[in-house]
Amino acid sequence: MKAVLDFMGPFTFSVFRFGTGALTLLLLIWVLKAGKPPKHMWKHLIVVGILQTGVVFSFVMYGMQFVDAGKSSVLLYSMPLWSSILAVKLLGETMTRGKITGLVMGMIGLVLILGRDIFFVKDPAIIFGELLIVAAALAWAASNMYYRLKLEGMTQLQVSAYQMLFGTIGILAATVLMEWGEPVRLTGSSIFYILFTGVLASALCFTVWFILLSTIDMVTATLSTLLVPVFGLFFSWWILGEAFTGSIIAGSALVITGIAVAQIFGRETSKGRA
């Protein structure tokens, strides 16, 4: 996602990516004769599409123009922290001591990451990008809650395909508004980035994610996402050559550890649906 910004604007890429993903899934639905979702579910699919695909990835891609890839992955995958907070209100979970401890650690980690840029770097563009990515994490958490409340029972293939389709339409509108007429370079590399993120990271992995949300509890599902910022930090250093300050490393470690503490030590005594 970070590398493709050398070839096109963030919204344009997102249209290519999720358009490719949606077409892949709709073709699969047609081959498998899975049919269309019930009419009363369309409004819920539109909401999830706007949140999960439209808002999350529009905000992330725009923010990544100013924020390094490794830091972006940590900020975006603070999602389980926000999911834990929303689950208390919406899914009836209990806020146990383990969850409170994990949330406090995670929030301190976010303050360490954001605080250095706010108080020392003082670059408005970087701060704006970071806040956009945190907002994306909040939108993703809200999407998870909405899915659990409104869309459980539908086939995950249908949910993934149609929410991605509606989200792509929303991003397309933003692209026309924000990037109309801007150059797009379609090369072997940029086409590979589109296909990799569209077919694998979107069509396949989004479907797997909705399957996880339907078959296992929210705690276990969100815990698995801890690997993303770990690999994000490693690959951004290895492939993109990004350097990390002590505050980023310490803050990232606190966010990841805090999520793990909240999920592992908060799960045995928590009550509710997740």
Side-chain angles (χ1 to χ4, degrees):
M1 290 166 61
K2 180 72 172 181
V4 82
L5 292 174
D6 293 332
F7 299 91
M8 63 193 73
F11 297 112
T12 302
F13 165 69
S14 296
V15 170
F16 279 125
R17 171 187 176 175
F18 293 111
T20 300
L23 288 174
T24 301
L25 290 172
L26 291 171
L27 179 61
L28 187 57
I29 286 176
W30 178 73
V31 170
L32 297 176
K33 299 180 179 179
K36 295 180 180 180
K39 289 184 178 180
H40 68 280
M41 287 294 188
W42 284 77
K43 60 183 179 181
H44 301 310
L45 289 167
I46 291 172
V47 172
V48 172
I50 291 172
L51 289 173
Q52 175 77 38
T53 297
V55 173
V56 171
F57 288 94
S58 292
F59 281 19
V60 169
M61 287 303 302
Y62 197 82
M64 285 182 74
Q65 296 179 106
F66 318 109
V67 183
D68 288 344
K71 191 193 297 185
S72 297
S73 66
V74 174
L75 295 175
L76 178 60
Y77 281 84
S78 66
M79 174 273 292
L81 298 175
W82 312 116
S83 289
S84 296
I85 294 172
L86 291 176
V88 171
K89 180 68 175 178
L90 301 177
L91 300 181
E93 286 191 3
T94 300
M95 185 61 78
T96 64
R97 281 186 291 182
K99 287 190 175 182
I100 292 173
T101 301
L103 286 170
V104 170
M105 291 176 67
M107 293 304 175
I108 292 173
L110 289 176
V111 169
L112 279 176
I113 295 172
L114 298 174
R116 177 182 176 276
D117 294 329
I118 292 173
F119 295 108
F120 297 102
V121 177
K122 296 181 180 179
D123 187 331
I126 292 176
I127 296 168
F128 175 68
E130 290 171 346
L131 292 176
L132 272 182
I133 295 170
V134 172
L138 278 163
W140 187 4
S143 172
N144 291 339
M145 298 302 116
Y146 196 88
Y147 172 81
R148 290 289 297 271
L149 290 170
K150 301 294 185 180
L151 288 172
E152 279 196 313
M154 284 188 61
T155 66
Q156 286 70 49
L157 187 59
Q158 285 181 329
V159 172
S160 191
Y162 284 93
Q163 70 84 18
M164 197 175 296
L165 174 63
F166 293 131
T168 302
I169 293 171
I171 298 174
L172 178 61
T175 303
V176 172
L177 183 65
M178 300 289 291
E179 296 178 357
W180 184 260
E182 292 190 10
V184 176
R185 289 197 297 132
L186 293 177
T187 67
S189 294
S190 63
I191 291 172
F192 169 77
Y193 295 147
I194 291 168
L195 293 177
F196 181 87
T197 55
V199 177
L200 293 180
S202 299
L204 173 63
C205 292
F206 273 39
T207 303
V208 171
W209 175 247
F210 285 120
I211 291 172
L212 287 175
L213 289 181
S214 296
T215 57
I216 62 178
D217 58 90
M218 182 71 72
V219 169
T220 305
T222 53
L223 185 62
S224 67
T225 66
L226 285 179
L227 288 174
V228 178
V230 172
F231 284 118
L233 287 166
F234 173 72
F235 284 121
S236 64
W237 163 77
W238 184 32
I239 296 174
L240 301 179
E242 294 179 355
F244 300 110
T245 63
S247 62
I248 292 175
I249 295 172
S252 300
L254 275 172
V255 170
I256 294 168
T257 304
I259 294 170
V261 168
Q263 307 293 38
I264 295 172
F265 296 101
R267 65 182 301 181
E268 293 183 357
T269 57
S270 64
K271 299 177 182 179
R273 292 183 58 188

